[in-house]
């Protein structure tokens, strides 16, 4: 699969780039950011996928999280896709911050007019890895996934549905029960329709309750997060994991909010969590 280079910069001995390709899933050009560590010059390196939250692009994590230094230390490639198609020319796609552009929710939409372009689940799980493994010296047998907020939701659901692909998983302030919160209810209704039975495949809490499992999950959640009570509800997921025997480490970090200052503080812990599984 051919990709175009948008930009490349030397970073911690490796290369931080932004790339683009024409997506068959979204029917639009799609960008992704990739940090390739120096170790990739001599061997296939593990890949950690990072899924961003509402309103974000591939740039937010790359610029704000400060993840490259630790990734370089552990020889891990970081890949951050965009959060939705851009310029699909769907009426209303740019009207709200929490639906449409910048808010793909990592689902494959089934409702018109979104179903033609909003196929972010397949883009992240199948199409983007195909592009990455065809163009970089990366190891398809050593993949981990993480994300923030809406992206944390994506990381958890993708890992739970594909445990043989993703050897490690973590999340920052994830939307763990989208069927029960305003952000999720709006997005899932719009993309999947009103039948809540169809939502369960994209709801981490319901997936665990339904029998899906993955390797140990690490979640960091800010205790001063404005969205903690009505949108994120980590205790729902904790209860489901406890009942099901799904390994989970949920850390409430007091005083931290929903911002990238929070992510930057704990990103090294998460990279080490992934390295423990991916570097073996």
């Amino acid at each position: 699969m051919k990709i175009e280079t948008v930009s490349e910069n030397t970073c911690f001995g490796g290369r931080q780039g932004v790339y683009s390709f024409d997506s068959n899933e979204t029917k639009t050009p799609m960008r992704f950011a990739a940090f390739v560590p120096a170790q990739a010059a001599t061997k296939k390196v593990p890949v950690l996928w990072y899924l961003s939250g509402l309103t974000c692009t591939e740039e937010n994590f790359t610029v704000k999280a400060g993840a490259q230094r630790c990734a370089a230390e552990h020889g891990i490639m970081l890949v951050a896709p965009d959060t939705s198609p851009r310029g699909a020319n769907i009426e209303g796609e740019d009207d709200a911050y929490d639906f449409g552009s910048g808010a793909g929710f990592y689902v494959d939409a089934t409702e018109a007019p979104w179903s033609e372009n909003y196929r972010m689940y397949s883009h992240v799980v199948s199409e983007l890895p195909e592009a990455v493994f065809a163009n970089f010296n990366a190891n398809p047998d050593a993949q981990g996934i993480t994300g923030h907020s809406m992206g944390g939701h994506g990381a958890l659901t993708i890992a739970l549905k594909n445990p043989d692909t993703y050897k490690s998983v973590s999340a920052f302030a994830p939307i763990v029960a989208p069927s029960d919160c305003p952000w999720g209810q709006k997005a899932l209704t719009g993309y999947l329709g009103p039948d809540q039975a169809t939502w369960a495949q994209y709801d981490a809490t319901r997936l665990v309750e339904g029998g899906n499992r993955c390797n140990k999950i690490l979640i960091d959640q800010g205790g001063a997060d404005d969205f903690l009570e009505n949108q994120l509800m980590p205790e729902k997921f904790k209860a489901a994991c406890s009942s099901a025997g799904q390994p989970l480490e949920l850390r409430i970090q007091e005083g931290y909010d929903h911002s990238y200052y929070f992510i930057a503080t704990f990103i090294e812990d998460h990279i080490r969590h992934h390295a423990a599984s991916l570097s073996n």
Side-chain angles (χ1 to χ4, degrees):
M1 181 182 295
K2 182 181 179 181
I3 64 173
E4 301 291 336
T5 300
V6 177
S7 65
E8 285 186 332
N9 299 90
T10 301
C11 181
F12 291 102
R15 187 172 71 255
Q16 177 63 61
V18 176
Y19 307 93
S20 176
F21 66 95
D22 291 331
S23 168
N24 291 323
E25 294 291 349
T26 69
K27 309 295 192 296
T28 66
M30 291 295 294
R31 285 191 177 198
F32 67 95
F35 170 72
V36 182
Q39 292 88 333
T42 58
K43 66 177 183 178
K44 290 185 179 296
V45 295
V47 178
L48 178 58
W49 308 94
Y50 178 91
L51 308 183
S52 289
L54 291 168
T55 75
C56 292
T57 69
E58 75 287 341
E59 183 178 42
N60 297 72
F61 173 73
T62 304
V63 173
K64 295 180 178 180
Q68 292 92 340
R69 182 185 63 78
C70 192
E73 176 186 339
H74 290 280
I76 292 176
M77 181 177 180
L78 302 174
V79 181
D82 201 351
T83 54
S84 77
R86 303 288 173 172
N89 296 319
I90 299 173
E91 184 177 356
E93 68 180 344
D94 298 322
D95 289 354
Y97 81 95
D98 55 357
F99 187 78
S101 295
F105 265 82
Y106 306 101
V107 306
D108 283 348
T110 57
E111 292 290 294
W114 310 98
S115 56
E116 180 72 11
N117 306 100
Y118 277 68
R119 296 183 51 80
M120 289 302 295
Y121 177 86
S122 290
H123 174 69
V124 168
V125 172
S126 300
E127 183 179 54
L128 181 57
E130 180 183 346
V132 167
F133 295 124
N135 289 278
F136 299 91
N137 200 19
N139 184 359
D141 295 323
Q143 299 182 61
I145 192 165
T146 186
H148 172 231
S149 195
M150 176 185 73
H153 139 78
L156 294 177
T157 57
I158 287 170
L160 285 164
K161 292 164 70 172
N162 301 276
D164 293 335
T165 299
Y166 302 94
K167 309 303 183 186
S168 58
V169 58
S170 71
F172 296 89
I175 304 170
V176 295
S179 300
D180 300 318
C181 75
W183 278 340
Q185 290 167 347
K186 178 177 181 177
L188 297 179
T189 299
Y191 294 134
L192 305 178
D195 181 4
Q196 293 196 20
T198 68
W199 299 2
Q201 63 184 310
Y202 297 114
D203 184 309
T205 299
R206 293 192 180 183
L207 285 169
V208 169
E209 291 171 343
N212 289 69
R213 300 289 182 270
C214 63
N215 288 337
K216 181 181 177 181
I217 299 168
L218 170 64
I219 292 178
D220 273 315
Q221 171 61 62
D225 192 320
D226 289 341
F227 306 111
L228 179 58
E229 298 299 327
N230 68 328
Q231 300 281 14
L232 305 177
M233 301 179 286
E235 294 302 324
K236 281 182 176 286
F237 189 61
K238 181 179 179 180
C241 289
S242 178
S243 296
Q246 165 62 48
L248 168 68
E249 181 179 3
L250 171 62
R251 310 191 306 186
I252 304 298
Q253 305 290 0
E254 296 301 335
Y256 287 89
D257 58 18
H258 201 69
S259 72
Y260 266 84
Y261 297 111
F262 161 58
I263 296 171
T265 302
F266 299 104
I267 189 63
E268 290 192 18
D269 287 355
H270 284 244
I271 291 176
R272 292 190 182 101
H273 165 80
H274 290 277
S277 296
L278 301 180
S279 299
N280 293 335

